[in-house]
Every structure is written in structure tokens, then in C-alpha cells.
Amino acid sequence: MKLLILPGDGIGPEITDATCAALGALDRRFGLGFDMVHRDIGLKAHADMGSTMPDAVMAEIAETEATILGPTDTYAYPPESEGGITPSKAVRTTFDLYGNIRPSRTRPGVPGMAKEMDLVVARENTEGFYADRNMFMGNAEFMPTPEVALAVRKITTHGSRRIAKVAFDLARTRRKKVTVVHKANVLKVTDGLFLREAKSMGEDYPDVEIEEVIIDAMAALLIRRPETFDVVLTTNMYGDILSDECAELSGGLGFGPSINAGDDHAIAQAAHGSAPDIAGQDIANPTALMLSATMLLKWIAARHGNNQLAAAAAHMENAVDHALGQPATQTKDIGGPLGTQAFGEAVALAIENLEE
Ligand code: NAD
């Protein structure tokens, strides 16, 4: 099975190396036949090939079932006309990866702000306020005059319904509760449409409890009582922001995994960015990318009914928890002694030695 590894910028190469060390151990233990192929994207690809997301890489993603996308320093990219293509945008729009699934939970031994939390943010991933990708043609941010800047937000029935279905299906496998987060008290038309479609979808799931919370209150309630939320269904930008808050509550941004999933394709990607402030220092926490990889393996396993791959993914998640649970093998961001590479080796060792 081919794994396409795109290290990206900043801490990307370090956390993908650590993730690959764990995946290598998983391959040896479970005989999965992984073929890990690395390709440059981001600033290195731009320097070498003139594009931060080369066409050849996009073509390879299209043909590969398992892609692991590292974080990218999009803020530092040149304009699109000069080859600065945002990889997240490119993959989410090209492959219609409309669901960004971002789980956060408290983990044994990890000192998070939340005492108890186990929730998943189901974030719409293709429209909303993302002006660089929410239009068929052109850009939804523009300046009618040098003193006026406008951005157009897109919310559609189709986009709202399909992410709502993802959220309700997910809730059925969990604690059967969906919290729809919106600002329909002010954005009556756009968030109103999203809320209407979420509620309408909820009618098909009478076994799942549905509640609605306004985004500003949600930011506070996540801090006050995070344990009361199960699946959080929301639009693109609210989901981006709230999922960083959830990751932080669970221990830090290094603990926020995700997959971008559509009907036919999914890509693993940590929720955090390229962290240029700590790049190259071997102190980044690779947990988010490791857990993103396990989410992707589970997604592929479910599609093919591949029990061995599902068991392997669960084993890798246990190994990550095992390493995080021991003071001697914790990462530096939570006060432990291990750098990025050493933590990758600790997880690899746990994969080799832990019982299934
Ligand atoms: P960031 O998520 O990169 O970093 C925010 C803070 O969290 C920093 O202090 C960083 O050191 C810390 N942090 C992040 N990941 C960590 C990890 N794995 N271990 C330990 N600490 C970690 O956000 P930012 O600094 O606002 O953005 C940096 C760049 O990343 C920008 O160019 C931004 O556009 C880009 N970005 C990319 C993605 C992506 O590729 N999916 C997501 C968000 C931001």
C-alpha cells in the first residue's frame, strides 16, 4: 500500500519523519506492505519547481489512496500567480474533501486544561468564508476602492446537508449528540440556511439528540463544560477556530489530528500550522500528525472492510497514548524529556512491544 508523504514547511519535515518512524514500525508488526514515497511541496518545491503545490504532486495524490499532508507556511507564500498555491485549498477543492473531521479528547498523562473531554468537530471544508476557494471562478475577497475591502461568504444547501450527514452518522457511532454551532441570530440568511439544513438532516436521525449553540457562547462553553459535547457540527471558519480551541483544551495544538474526507478520497493533516517559531529545533509534538495518520488508516480500512488495517490503526493510537502516558517518554510541549525524533522512536518501540 502506497503512502504519499508530503512533509510541507516549518516543523513539517520533523513531524512527518517521526510519523513515518511509527508507520514503519506498524508496517513491520502488521505486515501491511507500506511503500512510503516522499514528495516536496511548499517553499522547497517553490524554490525547485516554481510552485508550492506542483501539478505532478496533485496528479500523484489523485492516484494514491493514502496521502499524509504536512503543515504548510501559507502566510509566507507568494501570490498564486507566482506559484504560491495553498496545498490545503488545492486538495480540498480538487478532490471535494468536504468534511474536515477534527477529534479532541483528554488523554491519560497529558496535562490539558479540560478535565474530561471527548468530542469531534465536523467542519464544512469547501465553502464558508474561505475566499480563496469558495468561488467557481475568481476570488471572493476584493477591494472596490483602495479604502474598502470585502469578502463574500458562501453557504449552500448542498454543502450544509452533506457535512450535516457526516456529523449525524458520526454521532451514531458515538454518544449520539450533535451540537450545531452557528451565528444565525445575526447572519440570518447564511447561518440560517446552515442551521435549517442541519435541523432538517437531524429529522432523519431521531435517535440522535440535536442542540444548537451560538458560536460566541460555544467558545465559552467549551472551556466551562467541554465534557458535554459529542459531535460539533459547524461551518468552515468557525470549525477551524473552535477545533484549535479544542486541541488546546486537550493538551495543546500538537494534539489536534484531522482528516479531510470526501466520498472517494481522504487526506491526513494535522489541525495545526507549520509553527515557524519552533521549526528545526526538534521540539514539535508529532502526535497530531501521527493520530491523523491513524484516522486515515481507519477511514481506508472501513471502506475496504480491512480488519487488519483497522486493528493496526487502533494499535498505533494505543502506542501513542502509551508513550504520552509515561513521564519518561512525553514530549517537550507538555513538560516531558523527548524531542520530536525521540518521541517518534518511543512510539515505534511501543508499537513493536505493546500487546494488541
Ligand atoms: P501554528 O498552528 O503553526 O502555531 C501556533 C502555535 O502553536 C505556535 O506557537 C506553535 O509553535 C505551536 N504549535 C503548533 N503546532 C505545534 C506542535 N505540533 N507542537 C508544538 N507546538 C506547536 O499557527 P501560526 O503560527 O498561526 O501559523 C504558522 C503558519 O502555518 C502560517 O503560515 C499559517 O498560514 C499556516 N497554517 C497552516 C495550516 C495547515 O497547513 N493546515 C494550518 C494553520 C496554519
Side-chain angles (χ1 to χ4, degrees):
M1 177 182 176
K2 177 174 167 183
L3 302 185
L4 183 59
I5 314 290
L6 310 175
D9 302 309
I11 60 171
E14 299 161 71
I15 62 172
T16 46
D17 277 356
T19 301
C20 288
L23 288 167
L26 198 68
D27 187 23
R28 288 191 293 279
R29 170 115 187 210
F30 286 83
L32 300 166
F34 285 164
D35 173 21
M36 287 187 250
V37 175
H38 287 66
R39 297 282 180 251
D40 286 335
I41 59 164
L43 294 168
K44 185 163 189 316
H46 188 264
D48 295 344
M49 292 169 265
S51 170
T52 53
M53 195 59 175
D55 290 347
V57 175
M58 287 297 288
E60 203 166 346
I61 295 171
E63 291 165 3
T64 308
E65 198 164 22
T67 296
I68 297 177
L69 174 59
T72 51
D73 192 358
T74 45
Y75 206 38
Y77 286 6
E80 208 165 297
S81 56
E82 293 166 29
I85 297 164
T86 299
S88 297
K89 164 200 161 176
V91 298
R92 291 172 192 178
T93 54
T94 305
F95 305 111
D96 202 18
L97 307 178
Y98 58 84
N100 189 207
I101 310 304
R102 294 186 160 184
S104 278
R105 66 174 172 86
T106 41
R107 295 181 175 273
V110 175
M113 271 180 273
K115 285 197 205 72
E116 198 192 330
M117 175 172 71
D118 181 359
L119 59 77
V120 183
V121 176
R123 164 197 179 197
E124 200 292 320
N125 214 21
T126 52
E127 43 188 47
F129 244 132
Y130 282 70
D132 63 341
R133 65 198 75 164
N134 65 5
M135 293 288 133
F136 168 66
M137 190 184 284
N139 191 299
E141 257 196 329
F142 47 93
M143 295 182 78
T145 75
E147 284 76 36
V148 178
L150 300 175
V152 174
R153 176 171 184 249
K154 183 175 85 175
I155 302 289
T156 68
T157 301
H158 176 63
S160 304
R161 287 193 73 77
R162 60 184 185 170
I163 189 62
K165 183 170 188 323
V166 168
F168 281 98
D169 284 340
L170 197 55
R172 268 198 176 147
T173 68
R174 296 172 46 90
R175 302 196 307 279
K176 296 190 172 54
K177 180 177 172 187
V178 169
T179 303
V180 190
V181 179
H182 62 87
K183 185 84 184 172
N185 53 326
V186 175
L187 299 168
K188 292 183 191 221
V189 177
T190 46
D191 273 5
L193 188 154
F194 184 80
L195 182 58
R196 181 190 80 199
E197 294 307 322
K199 284 177 166 170
S200 152
M201 183 61 66
E203 287 170 11
D204 292 345
Y205 295 77
D207 51 322
V208 177
E209 181 191 346
I210 178 169
E211 69 172 0
E212 48 171 290
V213 179
I214 293 172
I215 175 73
D216 31 340
M218 188 67 182
L221 293 179
L222 276 171
I223 293 167
R224 189 190 296 177
R225 50 174 176 85
E227 72 283 359
T228 62
F229 300 106
D230 179 18
V231 176
V232 176
L233 164 62
T234 193
T235 50
N236 202 341
M237 194 168 290
Y238 302 156
D240 193 21
I241 296 167
L242 288 182
S243 56
D244 266 26
E245 183 182 349
C246 293
E248 192 61 34
L249 283 167
S250 77
L253 282 182
F255 293 93
S258 91
I259 54 168
N260 302 285
D263 291 330
D264 307 313
H265 213 118
I267 291 180
Q269 185 184 31
H272 61 72
S274 61
D277 54 337
I278 57 167
Q281 299 174 40
D282 191 40
I283 57 173
N285 184 346
T287 297
L289 194 64
M290 287 180 175
L291 295 177
S292 304
T294 66
M295 289 176 71
L296 177 63
L297 296 182
K298 284 181 193 171
W299 189 88
I300 295 169
R303 273 171 72 82
H304 298 295
N306 185 337
N307 294 337
Q308 188 200 21
L309 190 60
H315 186 71
M316 181 159 153
E317 186 170 358
N318 285 344
V320 171
D321 274 339
H322 178 82
L324 289 171
Q326 321 290 317
T329 51
Q330 288 184 330
T331 48
K332 292 203 168 148
D333 55 331
I334 54 168
L338 297 193
T340 315
Q341 189 188 345
F343 183 73
E345 288 160 12
V347 172
L349 198 65
I351 287 171
E352 279 167 29
N353 296 328
L354 273 186
E355 282 184 20
E356 280 172 48

